[in-house]
Amino acid sequence: MSGSGMSKHRSGGVADAGPGSAAAASAAASAAESKLRQRTVADSRDQTCSQLHNGAVVSEDQSSSGQCSLDLWSKKALLKRNDLPRHLQFNPYIETGYRPLLDAWGCFMSLFYFHNETINIITHGVPMLYILLWWQTLLPWGEISVPVLPWIHLVATVSPWVGSTIYHLFMNHSAGEACYKSLLHLDMFGIWITQSFVGLVWFFFKASHARNPWERRFCFTLPFLMRAASATLRGSAWGGGNPGAFKHIILQDLLAVLGGFVGALRVPEKWVPGRLDLLANSHHIMHVVVVYAVYHLHQGAVLDLVWLSGNTTCLGTSPPPPPHVL
Ligand SMILES: [Zn+2]
């Protein structure tokens, strides 16, 4: 608001009071001062708001209406997709509810109002906190004889939620596209740890108890192949594991693939663009589905970890490996 606007407010307030008694004049002056104070606060909020939106083009609606406000609790501060830098316009079917570019504190404070990343943050932030706070209750520690394995499992199960929560919370950081890409890499790294460590847990044990050089080398193929091979080998003489874990392994991968497909297809928001910006779009569905996938991963891993503790060789009935297998 301009300075002339403020002076108009001040003179208007005094004129309304009129030349009556001293008490009336005092009350009028007080009221005018109060109005002036409110106006000044509003002006300073508008000024800060323009700084807040630095780096993001404010929508025409907001800039022309003059209602740009720091009131992040309302929808006024949220932007449309076309108002964002190009690197944040990755889903053409999510049209509204975007946060402006913010500094780190502003991104963090966006936890406390609703926008189109809120569900993404909650769906992976809650599992992250759950694992970090109740990790002691998640595994039968007393039944697992190899101490490092449950820790690897815990890191594997919490990593995707840590990476994803940080990515979604800070993706609109004002540092721009380079910062966004770093956060995206962090998100991918968390997923990679989960996908790899599950195989590594299994083949760490297999490698430690290999019966011949080929088996030992087979334990160090690519993580993706390890996961596929470990599931395939479970039913053979080369494999092992708790039979009850197999269904969890299959479900974990089926759900992960399903979630990946839903996210890539951008269904259902592509059928109703702009209608699912805040709730129930494909990324929200994918987040929930992959949480369920990792739940099955956890269930299967716990069964296998306990099974491994009762089998100090690859197969309980197998003869011990010959010496000098390498
Ligand atoms: Zn996500």
Side-chain angles (χ1 to χ4, degrees):
M1 181 60 71
S2 68
S4 63
M6 284 191 286
S7 63
K8 195 186 295 180
H9 256 285
R10 184 185 296 161
S11 61
V14 172
D16 290 345
S21 66
S26 171
S30 169
E33 198 172 316
S34 172
K35 281 184 181 177
L36 175 62
R37 197 179 302 124
Q38 289 172 9
R39 191 62 255 158
T40 307
V41 169
D43 285 348
S44 78
R45 287 169 68 197
D46 285 346
Q47 189 177 7
T48 315
C49 184
S50 65
Q51 294 166 1
L52 178 79
H53 290 158
N54 184 32
V57 182
V58 179
S59 69
E60 284 186 13
D61 287 353
Q62 287 173 316
S63 38
S64 61
S65 67
Q67 292 181 336
C68 179
S69 161
L70 247 189
D71 185 7
L72 291 174
W73 302 87
S74 77
K75 280 188 170 181
K76 288 178 186 174
L78 298 178
L79 306 182
K80 296 176 181 175
R81 186 169 59 86
N82 290 335
D83 300 330
L84 294 170
R86 192 162 292 279
H87 68 273
L88 294 175
Q89 298 184 24
F90 42 78
N91 189 335
Y93 308 109
I94 304 296
E95 297 178 354
T96 61
Y98 291 93
R99 294 164 294 172
L101 295 183
L102 299 168
D103 60 17
W105 179 247
C107 292
F108 177 78
M109 292 305 288
S110 73
L111 280 172
F112 305 103
Y113 59 91
F114 209 91
H115 47 81
N116 66 15
E117 291 294 338
T118 298
I119 297 296
N120 290 329
I121 295 167
I122 290 174
T123 47
H124 283 176
V126 169
M128 175 187 73
L129 290 177
Y130 184 86
I131 294 171
L132 293 177
L133 291 174
W134 284 284
W135 60 270
Q136 285 179 305
T137 68
L138 297 177
L139 287 156
W141 297 86
E143 299 176 44
I144 300 171
S145 60
V146 187
V148 70
L149 295 185
W151 289 108
I152 292 176
H153 172 67
L154 276 181
V155 171
T157 49
V158 81
S159 293
W161 318 139
V162 173
S164 176
T165 302
I166 293 173
Y167 163 70
H168 284 289
L169 184 57
F170 294 98
M171 68 194 306
N172 62 318
H173 195 285
S174 54
E177 187 172 4
C179 176
Y180 172 80
K181 285 184 175 176
S182 298
L183 292 168
L184 186 60
H185 291 157
L186 179 68
D187 189 19
M188 294 300 107
F189 183 62
I191 297 169
W192 180 85
I193 287 177
T194 304
Q195 296 291 313
S196 305
F197 272 26
V198 171
L200 288 175
V201 168
W202 177 247
F203 278 96
F204 178 80
F205 177 85
K206 292 285 288 179
S208 303
H209 299 79
R211 292 171 297 186
N212 59 65
W214 291 109
E215 186 175 340
R216 189 181 299 280
R217 281 159 177 75
F218 185 70
C219 294
F220 297 97
T221 51
L222 292 172
F224 176 81
L225 292 178
M226 290 196 296
R227 283 170 45 72
S230 66
T232 305
L233 290 175
R234 295 176 77 92
S236 75
W238 286 66
N242 189 314
F246 187 72
K247 69 178 179 193
H248 294 296
I249 289 171
I250 298 300
L251 278 171
Q252 133 203 343
D253 280 325
L254 282 179
L255 288 166
V257 169
L258 173 66
F261 265 98
V262 169
L265 292 172
R266 289 170 175 159
V267 170
E269 69 268 22
K270 77 186 311 179
W271 296 330
V272 282
R275 302 283 296 275
L276 302 173
D277 294 352
L278 298 178
L279 188 65
N281 62 53
S282 62
H283 208 85
H284 299 162
I285 295 169
M286 182 184 76
H287 267 218
V288 173
V289 170
V290 296
V291 168
Y292 195 40
V294 174
Y295 166 78
H296 280 290
L297 179 157
H298 172 68
Q299 294 293 322
V302 168
L303 290 172
D304 275 345
L305 288 170
V306 174
W307 182 91
L308 288 173
S309 301
N311 291 268
T312 54
T313 61
C314 289
L315 296 173
T317 56
S318 298
H324 311 301
V325 291
L326 275 178

